[in-house]
């Protein structure tokens, strides 16, 4: 409320700053959405991502390098840096300070665009564009503020978003469902609504030196033993997808951003040893893979059997081009406005 009353300052910066956030507690798909924006922008612009680096062991501002670990920058930032080594990935709980540090980099490294991951509640920064995500299965306007529900703030906070994306819709969603959601959101004329789903890609070996083959889920025998390990906020869509493919599914679930301890590994190993098929597999999410791969006590017996499943965002009803054009237009217009200001100064 103090930010609403302008008693606390919100700082704007001289480059496009795009916030990808939500008003609920996790599970809306911010990381794959941030990766979608990176793929869209990195061909034309120097892109930087800035996040808090949740559950990292370091403090303050840290720039990720090619050899970073989840302990140094958090699992999500580590994942992004490994997938996109040519962009700048930074973490800082103080986003305003983090942006200033990014803009203080040498001119040849200074970002043209900064993507803020999970910063909708970080009001000390005033982004040039706010993209708010809401899970189709847990729409914000049906929810309640903690502890009664899973909202971090009132549903009225949607007014701050420029773009709202309903995520994890599923392929069988109907246009009538979209119209109902749009009506219930009561968005303003300046806000834009999109719908998206998760695309699951081939399962990739976590240790390619022990197993180089990747598999689409349909290539794996349906009666093969599959142990799914998850440490994410909302594993339900992945579990549903896996159950539709495999008859012998075993699930070992942990909390979001879980730090795997030796006792956890023993628990997983106990399930692994009970699986009898000769081609048994352990599968996990990309975020879990980042944390598992760095463990010194990961059993060697697992390594040829351990796979992760990459995901990406796909827009529904052919609206992806419209979304892309809107983002690119925003960056061009924001950059042009700043250049005019600099010229006057």
């Amino acid at each position: 409320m103090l930010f609403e009353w302008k008693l606390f300052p919100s700082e704007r910066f001289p480059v496009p700053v795009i916030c990808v956030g939500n008003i609920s507690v996790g599970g809306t798909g911010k990381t794959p959405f941030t990766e979608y924006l990176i793929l869209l922008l990195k061909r034309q612009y120097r892109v930087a991502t800035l996040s808090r680096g949740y559950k990292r062991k370091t403090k303050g501002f840290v720039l990720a390098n090619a050899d970073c670990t989840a302990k140094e920058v958090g699992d999500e930032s580590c994942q992004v840096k490994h997938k996109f080594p040519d962009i700048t990935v930074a973490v800082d709980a103080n986003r305003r300070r983090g942006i200033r540090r990014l803009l203080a980099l040498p001119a040849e490294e200074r970002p043209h665009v900064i993507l803020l991951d999970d910063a909708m509640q970080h009001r000390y920064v005033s982004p040039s564009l706010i993209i708010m995500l809401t899970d189709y299965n847990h729409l914000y306007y049906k929810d309640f503020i903690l502890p009664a529900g899973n909202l971090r703030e009132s549903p009225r906070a949607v007014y701050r978003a420029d773009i709202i994306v309903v995520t994890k819709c599923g392929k069988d969603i109907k246009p009538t469902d979209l119209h109902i959601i749009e009506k219930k959101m009561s968005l303003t004329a300046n806000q834009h609504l999109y719908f998206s789903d998760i695309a699951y890609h081939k399962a990739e070996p976590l240790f390619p030196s022990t197993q180089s083959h990747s598999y689409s889920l349909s290539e794996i025998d349906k009666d093969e033993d599959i142990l799914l390990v998850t440490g994410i906020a909302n594993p339900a869509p992945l579990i549903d997808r896996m159950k539709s493919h495999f008859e012998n599914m075993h699930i070992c679930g942990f909390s979001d951003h879980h730090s795997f301890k030796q006792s956890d590994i023993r628990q997983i190993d106990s399930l692994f040893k009970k699986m009898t098929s000769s081609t048994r597999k352990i599968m996990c999410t990309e975020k879990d893979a980042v944390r598992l791969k760095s463990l010194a006590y990961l059993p060697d017996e697992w390594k040829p059997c351990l796979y992760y499943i990459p995901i990406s965002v796909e827009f529904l009803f052919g609206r992806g081009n419209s979304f892309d054009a809107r983002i690119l237009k925003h960056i061009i217009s924001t950059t042009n406005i700043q250049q005019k200001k600099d010229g006057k100064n």
Side-chain angles (χ1 to χ4, degrees):
M1 189 59 67
L2 293 174
F3 283 102
E4 297 293 330
W5 292 341
K6 310 298 182 185
L7 296 177
F8 281 180
S10 292
E11 185 172 354
R12 214 164 181 89
F13 291 89
V15 296
V17 176
I18 300 176
C19 168
V20 178
N22 57 22
I23 60 173
S24 62
V25 181
T28 56
K30 293 183 296 294
T31 301
F33 205 89
T34 299
E35 291 178 353
Y36 180 96
L37 291 171
I38 292 168
L39 283 169
L40 172 65
L41 300 174
K42 73 186 190 74
R43 293 187 296 270
Q44 296 175 247
Y45 302 100
R46 281 197 299 272
V47 177
T49 66
L50 177 64
S51 68
R52 175 185 173 189
Y54 186 60
K55 282 202 170 183
R56 64 188 171 115
K57 302 300 182 184
T58 55
K59 300 292 184 183
F61 178 83
V62 179
L63 277 175
N65 58 41
D67 301 317
C68 66
T69 65
K71 288 184 177 180
E72 294 170 333
V73 296
D75 52 7
E76 292 164 344
S77 295
C78 188
Q79 173 184 317
V80 169
K81 185 62 180 178
H82 289 169
K83 288 179 78 169
F84 306 101
D86 52 338
I87 75 161
T88 300
V89 175
V91 293
D92 197 335
N94 184 326
R95 309 299 172 90
R96 185 163 54 176
R97 178 180 62 195
I99 294 173
R100 289 171 179 166
R101 292 287 297 270
L102 287 170
L103 296 181
L105 290 172
E108 65 276 8
E109 300 175 28
R110 194 175 305 143
H112 299 129
V113 183
I114 297 174
L115 304 178
L116 292 184
D117 181 24
D118 196 14
M120 195 165 169
Q121 286 71 44
H122 199 92
R123 302 290 295 275
Y124 283 105
V125 172
S126 179
S128 60
L129 187 78
I130 295 178
I131 301 172
M132 184 185 123
L133 309 183
T134 182
D135 186 337
Y136 174 73
N137 301 292
H138 304 281
L139 292 162
Y140 72 89
Y141 59 79
K142 296 181 179 179
D143 209 344
F144 301 93
I145 298 175
L146 287 163
N150 290 309
L151 295 185
R152 305 176 183 184
E153 55 180 316
S154 165
R156 293 191 298 272
V158 71
Y159 87 89
R160 302 204 313 272
D162 302 289
I163 294 173
I164 297 90
V165 182
V166 181
T167 63
K168 305 180 183 179
C169 289
K171 303 293 189 298
D172 56 349
I173 190 170
K174 300 176 178 62
T176 51
D177 299 325
L178 310 190
H179 294 314
I180 291 170
I181 292 171
E182 188 169 11
K183 185 176 181 180
K184 290 189 175 182
M185 284 187 179
S186 301
L187 303 178
T188 68
N190 294 325
Q191 293 179 301
H192 306 278
L193 179 62
Y194 294 88
F195 296 84
S196 70
D197 194 21
I198 298 171
Y200 293 92
H201 301 288
K202 284 189 173 184
E204 300 287 347
L206 190 52
F207 296 94
S209 60
T210 63
Q211 169 60 269
S212 59
H213 190 66
S214 57
Y215 296 90
S216 64
L217 297 184
S218 59
E219 288 180 303
I220 304 172
D221 290 340
K222 65 178 183 178
D223 57 352
E224 185 170 329
D225 276 313
I226 302 293
L227 173 55
L228 179 64
V229 177
T230 66
I232 58 175
N234 180 19
L238 175 59
I239 291 172
D240 290 343
R241 182 63 62 94
M242 297 288 283
K243 281 183 175 179
S244 70
H245 281 276
F246 305 111
E247 295 178 356
N248 298 322
M249 272 280 297
H250 313 267
I251 301 168
C252 197
F254 299 91
S255 59
D256 195 18
H257 302 280
H258 183 74
S259 298
F260 292 99
K261 303 177 180 64
Q262 286 181 294
S263 58
D264 301 321
I265 298 304
R266 287 194 294 270
Q267 178 186 346
I268 299 168
D269 196 48
S270 176
L271 291 171
F272 180 65
K273 284 181 165 59
K274 291 177 182 177
M275 300 194 312
T276 56
S277 63
S278 59
T279 54
R280 57 188 175 168
K281 292 178 176 60
I282 302 175
M283 293 193 179
C284 64
T285 69
E286 285 184 278
K287 280 206 302 185
D288 298 314
V290 168
R291 283 175 271 123
L292 286 169
K293 191 168 186 177
S294 62
L295 296 180
Y297 41 83
L298 196 72
D300 288 336
E301 185 185 3
W302 290 12
K303 293 182 179 179
C305 308
L306 192 50
Y307 294 80
Y308 67 93
I309 304 173
I311 61 174
S312 63
V313 170
E314 57 180 21
F315 284 91
L316 302 181
F317 304 102
R319 298 294 308 283
N321 289 338
S322 167
F323 176 86
D324 294 355
R326 195 173 299 283
I327 296 298
L328 294 170
K329 181 180 178 181
H330 167 77
I331 291 172
I332 292 169
S333 61
T334 304
T335 304
N336 288 342
I337 289 170
Q338 186 58 43
Q339 287 173 345
K340 288 180 181 177
K341 286 182 179 178
D342 292 342
K344 289 178 182 179
N345 293 336

